Amino acid sequence: MIGRTAIDRQDPAAPDFEGIGKEKGVRFVLAGRVTRANSTRILVDTYLTEIASGAVHRLREGAFGSDEDAIRSDYASAVATALNVRLLELEATRARL
C-alpha cells in the first residue's frame, strides 16, 4: 500500500508520460522538473510515473542556492537511491498480487 500523500496525478501542463510509456512499452517513466524560485534559488523535483495505474510517485526534491550548488550536489545519487527503493517497493507489491 502506498500512502495517499505519496501519489498524485501529473500536472496537466506536463507531457503525457502515460501515453509515452504505453507507446514505448515501458512500465515506468522517470521525469523531473527544474524551476527558478527567484534569482538565487533553484528547485528540482523528480517523479516516477507508473504507467499501468497512472500514479505519480515523488522521488526527491531539492533546493539549491545557485547553478553551481546544484551541479556539485549529490542530488543525482539521491535520486538513484530513491528510485531503487521505490522500484523495489512497487515490485514487492506487484509480486503479492
Side-chain angles (χ1 to χ4, degrees):
M1 177 175 285
I2 301 169
R4 185 169 173 239
T5 58
I7 300 175
D8 55 79
R9 299 306 261 169
Q10 271 300 354
D11 178 338
D16 178 16
F17 293 118
E18 289 178 62
I20 293 167
K22 288 175 185 173
E23 178 184 314
K24 299 296 182 185
V26 297
R27 292 183 37 223
F28 301 97
V29 173
L30 179 65
R33 176 176 45 202
V34 177
T35 55
R36 288 197 181 273
N38 56 43
S39 63
T40 61
R41 190 165 156 92
I42 300 167
L43 306 175
V44 182
D45 290 303
T46 310
Y47 301 89
L48 182 68
T49 300
E50 189 174 6
I51 301 307
S53 67
V56 179
H57 308 272
R58 176 179 261 167
L59 294 178
R60 182 91 174 158
E61 60 183 301
F64 304 98
S66 69
D67 292 350
E68 189 169 320
D69 288 347
I71 291 168
R72 290 178 186 236
S73 76
D74 66 346
Y75 187 85
S77 176
V79 167
T81 299
L83 177 60
N84 187 44
V85 169
R86 178 59 74 181
L87 287 174
L88 289 173
E89 290 171 353
L90 292 169
E91 289 301 311
T93 301
R94 184 174 161 225
R96 286 191 293 265
L97 297 178

